[in-house]
Amino acid sequence: MRTSARALGPRRDAGRRVVLLTVEFDAMVRCATIMTPSLPTAVPRDPAERPKELPVSESETPDPTPTPRPTPRPAPRPKPPSPAALAGRKPSAPLIPVAPPVQDYDEDSIRQALAFGDIDENGVVVVQDGTQKRELGPATSTDRDEALTPFARGYLDLVAFLDVTQQRLAAPALTQADLNRLLENLRKNMKEPQVIGDIPALRARAAELREAAKEKIHVLEQERLEARETATTERTAFVESIEELVATDPERMSWKSSGERMRGMVGEWKRMQKEGPSLDRATEDALWKRLSSARSAFDRKRRQFFSHLDEQHAEAEKVREDIIRRAEEMQHSTDWGPTVRAYRSLMDEWRAAPRGNRKKDDAQWARFKAAQDTFFTARNEDLRATDAEQKENLARKEELLTEAEALDPSTDLEKAKEAMRSIQDRWDEAGKVPRSDMRRIEDRLRTVERSLRQAEEDEWRRTDPRTRARVEGASSQLHEAISSYQEDLDRARQSGDPERIRKAEEALEARRQWLEVIERSARDLG
């Protein structure tokens, strides 16, 4: 599990932190001395006699430096560790923010702080800490102000410490580790401080700073939780997308693009780990287990798919080889019609055959097409020769049609019939014509044949004795019927009955019309 960058702190700021740690260690030593009950009597009052502070540039720390104020110093002062030593290990004691450079405090501030301290009858320095008095240690001088002033300066050092802490809290780039360190420093420095001054006010201010720090920690924690939740959602969505990819039907999966995505899966997971916040161990382990399981399932499905695909390709190759064998057996056939139908059937089988390896499919298709081309090339050459012959046949038949259409059966029916029989014999000898012209010329010949048959039927009806006898008998019967119906009409007119007259007239007129038709037929026969 990789260590969180937030927990370790940005590595790029290591150099700046080394300088800050050195200065903070120096401030820690000063405050620790202030909080010690027994203080030395010899405190250098001249700033020139005090040890110099390590320089801190504005680019190395974001803390604004308040007005310099003096702070009491232990004698002798312990030597601070080197930056190289601090860079290689954590400080053994909690660090506090940078204290201002040592210089004298103004007399009014010292005098206000002295008002909270005193020396009791036993020569012990005491401080008014809220409602109780607390002993700080034996007085080092009989003069009250001289004995209490170092404690008052310690109080002002703590005020300066809170000022710096407040400035640090206002910085925009604080991490949770920074805030935890500030809280620890506040806790240690404000636990019964060995100073003289308005300690309740100091504690109240420190409590406000603690609440502000806790609020920032709470905000950072919420941001961290939200970032973790977002990262969890993002990584879960990533894992689900991989699982969805693995669940795709093998027949519909693009194995090339899917394989590339699966190969980049671990790199993408590591990128999300590196760039995003760390997840809790259980969640990250569960997601990684799902991701690893999906990768294993993908590899298994790919092996199974391509194994099955190899079997399909082998079967497809076998089926197509059989089709090619039959195609090559027919390629020199001259039985055009059945062979064309057989090749069409083979093409249907080729399309229905399972897919094989592309290279082998292409090679087999080339062999199958070569067999077809051999047959159809020979057939097309034969068709071209046949087409030329049929065009010559068409020209001969059109000449015969012209001769047939010139026949006139009305002048000499028997001669026209004999000429037609000669034309029909020569028509059959002429042979086949192009399919596109066949119906046209056949229809013209059938028209001439129908006209001859009609003329022959008309002549037969005209010269048949039985037909003539039937016509004459019908005419005689109609003449007798007309005479009878004429008598009926005369009697009806004599009776004066209009209905009877009308019926008699209609019956007589019908017989006259029939007689007219029969007499016209008799004239045609004659």
Side-chain angles (χ1 to χ4, degrees), residues 13 16-17 20 24 58 60-65 97-98 162-176 178-179 181-182 209 212-213 215-217 219-220 223:
D13 295 336
R16 181 174 67 85
R17 288 183 177 275
L20 288 176
E24 289 178 352
E58 293 181 358
E60 293 171 335
T61 176
D63 303 332
T65 304
V98 181
L162 295 181
D163 291 340
V164 173
T165 300
Q166 185 173 0
Q167 293 170 358
R168 290 291 301 276
L169 283 173
L174 287 178
T175 65
Q176 188 167 344
D178 296 332
L179 293 169
R181 183 186 304 151
L182 288 177
L209 294 176
E215 181 63 26
K216 284 183 174 288
I217 289 175
V219 171
L220 290 176
E223 292 176 353

Side-chain angles (χ1 to χ4, degrees), residues 304-362:
Q304 293 174 350
F305 174 79
F306 284 103
S307 176
H308 181 61
L309 191 63
D310 290 340
E311 296 176 359
Q312 287 183 336
H313 288 176
E315 179 64 22
E317 183 179 1
K318 182 179 178 181
V319 171
R320 284 187 166 86
E321 280 295 329
D322 180 65
I323 296 174
I324 292 170
R325 178 187 57 77
R326 287 182 283 160
E328 290 175 343
E329 289 175 353
M330 298 187 299
Q331 62 184 336
H332 299 300
S333 173
T334 57
D335 192 4
W336 308 122
T339 308
V340 168
R341 290 190 291 272
Y343 269 113
R344 288 175 180 169
S345 177
L346 289 180
M347 179 59 73
D348 293 338
E349 290 184 39
W350 185 278
R351 293 193 184 100
R355 295 177 58 186
N357 180 274
R358 176 171 293 184
K359 291 183 179 180
K360 291 183 179 180
D361 279 358
D362 292 344

